[in-house]
Every structure is written in C-alpha cells, then in structure tokens.
C-alpha cells in the first residue's frame, strides 16, 4: 500500500514538474516565435520615420563620408532624390565632382565636395570640414566611410599601418564627424545620424579582429550617444550590415543574402527608427534577409558557435587569398 502511495505521490510530483517545465518551454517558444514575427512585420510592413522630416526641400543638407562609391554613393543619390542637399567626402576629388554634377542635374539640389584621406586623421581636414559645414543646415550625417584588413590575417601578423588605418577611419572619423555636426542638430532639435555597422561588430570575427572590434565600438558608441541624443531630437541609428555588393566586400554578384547597394540603402532609409532584425537599441538591421540572419544569430545556438563559424569561414578565405597572392607573385616574377 505504502509503495502505491509513494508511486502516486512521485508521479504527481513528476507530472507537476513536467507541467511547469512544459509551460516555461511553451512560453519561451511563444516568445521566440513572437519576436521572429515582429522582425517580419518590421522588414516587410512597417515604414520608418520619413527622411523628409530632416529638412528635405527646405534647405537641409546630408553629409556622407565615403560617398564616391558603393553604399555611400547610393546614399548620396537616394537622399538627393528626397531633396536633401548633399556634401560628399572621400579621397578622390574627380569622382566626387562627377557625382556632385550628376546629383545637381538629376535632382536639382545643391552639393559640396571635400576630398580628404581619413587614414591621415589630419586636424586641418577636420577644421576645414568644420568651416565648410558651419554655415549650412546639416540635418543628416551618414558615417559610412570604412576600411578593412586586406585579407583575413592573424592579429599578431597584421601591419601596424592597417591597424592604425582601421581605427582612424572606422572609429575616429565617425566620432570626429559627429562632433562637428551634432551641436547644430541639437540646437535645431532635428537630426539623423546613420552609422554603417557590420555583422562583424555583432559576432566577433577572427582574422578580421581590428575591423570587427571597430564595428563593435561603433555599435556600442551608437547606442550610448543614441540614448544621449534622443531627448534632444537627434535620431542615431547603427545599421547592422551583412554583405552588400561593393569594392570593399569584393563581391560582384547580388544574391538574396547579398543585395546591391540600391535595395540595401532603400531598406535603410525606409526603416529609420525601426529595429528590423536588430535586438539592441538605436540599431537597425533593415534588409529582410540580413534581419533574419540577425535574428538567428541572436536566438539560435550560442555566440561561441557563431564565433567558431566565423573562424572557419575566415580561415578558408585566408587560405584562398594567400594562394591568390602566391599565383600573382609567380606571374609577376615570370614577366
Ligand atoms: N559592402 C559590405 O559588404 C559591407 C558589409 C558591412 C559593412 N559595410 C560598411 O559599409 C561602409 C561602406 O562600405 P562599401 O562596401 O560601400 O565600401 P566601398 O564600396 O569600398 O566604398 C568605400 C568608400 O569610402 C571611400 N574611402 C575609402 N577609404 C577612404 C579614406 N581613407 N578616406 C576617405 N574616403 C575613403 C571610397 O572612396 P575613395 O576611394 O575615392 O576614397 C569610397 O567612396 C563601410 O563602413 C563598411 O565597413 C560594408
């Protein structure tokens, strides 16, 4: 009899435990399903703050770094099409002037160009920019310029120059440009700062460690200044970017996961103030396939798993890059 009573008691206890864990499991699954559903709603159905709010057609200017190619050039065209005047900055003045002329003719906006090399971190360049931007109403800043390791490289083998260049371009340029324009945005209580982040900042990327760290900085810094500036009317958005077809990515063909700059930038500008696949504040992962990957990274398996994945991917890319270098060196020798 005792044994039967014990069995019944134990079974009840087990059943309660199973029910409790079952309920917790169901709640976790429901929460995850809801958060995935929210990502889909964000990227497919919601529209963000209209960029026209930032002085479009009313004398507002957008300042874009790294504006002569790739994603930055596309920002210049799409922001000009919304009637923002454009300041274009990169190293190659001839390219900037050609783009500026095209923008003026096509969209009837004003433009300014400034050629500088951000790797130099030269005070006189930033002073000249301060001078150039002081008299105009800067309402949008796109901190787009970025540089990367030439090939995936173990940190201890990377050159001091590449390490310094990445820090100067990806970190210091964003901070210095922001310091120049934020006071006038705050004074007007109207401004938008878009920082071009990367999935390398979301998941640490072995062999691209300095680039990865610089984008992690950008992510953390964007969230911090985003919170500081929101009550002052300035919207900060770090944009988590997976791959986009460009010179930097060395990818020439678009796929579902790797868009051309045009649809990519359209997704960024269509979702200002909306998280998309991002789970951190003042951050957005707006392109639909990137958003789904972002959600998977945040919700499926551990960060350790994703770092290991990156380790394997970059090891493979490094091997192929070294073989290519060897082939090129042999070809050069035989000439
Ligand atoms: N493409 C991707 O897959 C991807 C993924 C994640 C994040 N991102 C980020 O997106 C941003 C734009 O990348 P992208 O792929 O569009 O690059 P990109 O096509 O290589 O264009 C880079 C732009 O920056 C300018 N630039 C490069 N170095 C410069 C320097 N030292 N000083 C001044 N200007 C410089 C280039 O013009 P000049 O040569 O004339 O100077 C060009 O206009 C970067 O911050 C990058 O980290 C890109």
């Amino acid at each position: 009899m005792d044994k039967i009573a014990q069995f019944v008691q134990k079974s009840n206890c087990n059943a309660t435990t199973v029910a409790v864990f079952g309920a917790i499991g169901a709640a976790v699954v429901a929460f995850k399903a809801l958060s995935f559903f929210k990502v889909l709603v964000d990227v497919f159905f919601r529209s963000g703050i209209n960029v026209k709010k930032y002085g479009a057609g009313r004398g507002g200017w957008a300042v874009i770094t790294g504006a002569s190619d790739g994603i930055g050039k596309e920002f210049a065209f799409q922001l000009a099409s919304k009637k923002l005047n454009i300041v274009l900055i990169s190293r190659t003045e001839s390219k900037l002037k050609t783009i500026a002329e095209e923008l003026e003719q096509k969209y009837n906006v004003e433009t300014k160009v400034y050629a500088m090399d951000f790797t130099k971190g030269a005070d006189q360049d930033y002073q000249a920019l301060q001078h150039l931007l002081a008299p105009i109403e800067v309402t949008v800043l796109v901190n787009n310029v970025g540089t990367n390791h030439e090939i995936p490289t173990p940190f201890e083998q990377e050159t001091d120059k590449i390490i310094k260049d990445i820090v100067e371009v990806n970190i210091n340029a964003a901070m210095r440009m922001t310091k120049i324009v934020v006071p006038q945005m705050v004074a007007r209580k109207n401004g938008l700062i878009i920082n071009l982040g990367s999935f390398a900042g979301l998941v640490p990327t072995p062999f691209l460690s300095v680039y990865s760290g610089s984008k992690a900085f950008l992510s953390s810094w964007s969230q911090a200044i985003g919170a500081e500036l929101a009550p002052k009317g300035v919207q900060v958005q770090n944009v988590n970017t997976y791959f986009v077809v460009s010179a930097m990515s060395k990818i020439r063909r678009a796929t579902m996961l790797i868009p051309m700059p045009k649809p990519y930038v359209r997704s960024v500008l269509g979702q200002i103030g909306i998280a998309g696949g991002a789970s951190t504040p003042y951050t957005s992962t707006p392109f639909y396939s990137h958003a789904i990957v972002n959600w998977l990274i945040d919700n499926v398996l551990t960060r350790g798993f994703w770092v290991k994945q990156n380790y394997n991917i970059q090891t493979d890319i490094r091997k192929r890059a070294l073989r290519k270098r060897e082939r090129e060196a042999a070809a050069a020798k035989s000439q």
Side-chain angles (χ1 to χ4, degrees), residues 65-72 89-92 95 116-119 143-147 169-170 196-199 211 215 241-249:
T65 64
S68 59
D69 209 348
I71 297 170
I89 308 166
S90 84
R91 287 169 299 194
T92 322
K95 281 200 219 168
M116 69 180 277
D117 183 346
F118 282 102
T119 63
N143 282 315
N144 166 77
V145 71
T147 190
V169 176
N170 297 10
L196 261 290
S198 164
F199 272 50
Y211 178 78
K215 294 297 183 180
T241 312
Y242 189 53
F243 287 111
V244 174
V245 171
S246 81
M248 182 194 270
S249 68

Side-chain angles (χ1 to χ4, degrees), residues 195-227:
N195 296 327
L196 261 290
S198 164
F199 272 50
L202 183 68
V203 181
T205 309
F207 306 118
L208 299 180
S209 60
V210 186
Y211 178 78
S212 179
S214 73
K215 294 297 183 180
F217 167 87
L218 212 53
S219 162
S220 189
W221 174 72
S222 300
Q223 292 173 62
I225 60 161

Side-chain angles (χ1 to χ4, degrees), residues 139-194:
T139 49
V140 178
L141 169 65
V142 186
N143 282 315
N144 166 77
V145 71
T147 190
N148 202 342
H149 303 257
E150 277 171 15
I151 64 167
T153 306
F155 176 70
E156 74 279 10
Q157 290 174 28
E158 190 50 283
T159 65
D160 290 345
K161 169 148 176 48
I162 286 183
I163 293 173
K164 184 178 164 297
D165 285 355
I166 294 174
V167 171
E168 202 55 65
V169 176
N170 297 10
I171 297 179
N172 291 344
M175 288 196 290
R176 295 184 80 170
M177 291 303 302
T178 303
K179 269 207 105 184
I180 290 174
V181 301
V182 151
Q184 53 158 305
M185 289 178 171
V186 168
R188 265 184 250 108
K189 280 188 166 289
N190 187 24
L192 168 66
I193 298 170
I194 296 174

Side-chain angles (χ1 to χ4, degrees), residues 186 189-190 223-236 282:
V186 168
K189 280 188 166 289
N190 187 24
Q223 292 173 62
I225 60 161
E228 286 176 29
L229 290 170
K232 299 176 180 171
V234 179
Q235 174 87 28
V236 177
Y282 307 102

Side-chain angles (χ1 to χ4, degrees), residues 17-30:
T17 312
V18 168
V20 168
F21 279 108
I24 293 172
V28 169
V29 170

